[in-house]
Amino acid sequence: MAEMDSTVKGVLFDLDGVVVFTDKYHYLGWKKVADDNGWNFDEEVNHGCRGVPRLASLQVILDHNKVELSQEEKERFADKKNEVYKELLKQINAEDVYPGVIPFLEKLRNAGIKMAICSSSKNATTVLDALDLTSFFGAVITGNDIEKPKPDPEIFLKGAASLGLTSDECIVFEDAESGVQAAHAAGMKCIGVGEAAHLPSAKTCITDYASVMIPVQTP
Ligand code: BG6
Ligand code: MG
């Protein structure tokens, strides 16, 4: 059981792997690029790509394989991964939404708690619109809106400011270690989504949104 205390006025959600299982499509996009080039890439390496921007994710894979490329080649492979990812996104549907997340968003909305998406992905708005989830969120901050990627706190500080809240009033849900670190660097509480073994900085982890107790708001 994870508890949100009564000081929480806003919830900042990462998107991929937290609200939607798009992380599996990110994985398949990189897998195609890796397989085409004979690079090793598996679920374990993929954990290092969670929450990490496109080119930096490619670097994780290149470092793992001890491969060096020119900037131009890196950009070409990152573009290729994004093409595969966007093609896969065409099949996205309600089954890709994290189980239990919609009832959880509804509970938060009914409790008057503000919500934002804070995702490193430049494709985040496409995903939210495709699944008709946009209206839950008072703010959507994406990879297009930030200069410094997670673990820098920029994205969460922008999310809180867009909701008109302070760091103290926000809690973050994250499936990436870099994202948990970003939330803490922003001075926010954070609940890890996924197995604790992959989220060493998270004090609390959940795999089921029904296990999160939400605060009753006092007027
Ligand atoms: C994050 C994903 O949300 O977005 C990463 O966890 C991904 O795997 C990153 O690399 C950037 O996404 P995109 O869609 O802009 O390439
Ligand atoms: Mg994520």
Side-chain angles (χ1 to χ4, degrees), residues 16 26 49-54 57 81 85 119-123:
D16 300 315
H26 282 292
C49 299
R50 283 178 190 272
V52 175
R54 212 174 297 164
S57 295
K81 180 265 173 175
Y85 178 67
S119 167
S120 306
S121 176
K122 293 185 167 150
N123 294 297

Side-chain angles (χ1 to χ4, degrees), residues 136-151:
F136 279 107
F137 303 100
V140 176
I141 316 291
T142 75
N144 299 300
D145 306 312
I146 53 162
E147 285 179 9
K148 296 186 212 127
K150 301 169 188 175

Side-chain angles (χ1 to χ4, degrees), residues 1-2 172 174 177 180-181 183-184 188-193 196 199-206:
M1 188 70 68
V172 171
E174 255 294 347
E177 174 62 12
V180 177
Q181 290 174 1
H184 290 161
M188 297 175 188
K189 293 175 275 289
C190 183
I191 293 180
V193 179
L199 296 164
S201 300
K203 292 194 185 81
T204 308
C205 288
I206 58 145

Side-chain angles (χ1 to χ4, degrees), residues 13 15 18-20 93-110 115 127-128 130-137 208-210 214:
F13 290 91
L15 179 67
V18 167
V19 175
V20 194
N93 62 69
E95 285 181 13
D96 294 305
V97 177
Y98 201 107
V101 84
I102 290 182
F104 184 58
L105 297 175
E106 285 168 346
K107 263 202 266 178
L108 291 172
R109 185 167 59 189
N110 293 341
M115 292 173 266
V127 172
L128 289 169
L131 296 170
D132 212 11
L133 294 173
T134 310
S135 63
F136 279 107
F137 303 100
D208 177 5
Y209 281 98
I214 70 162

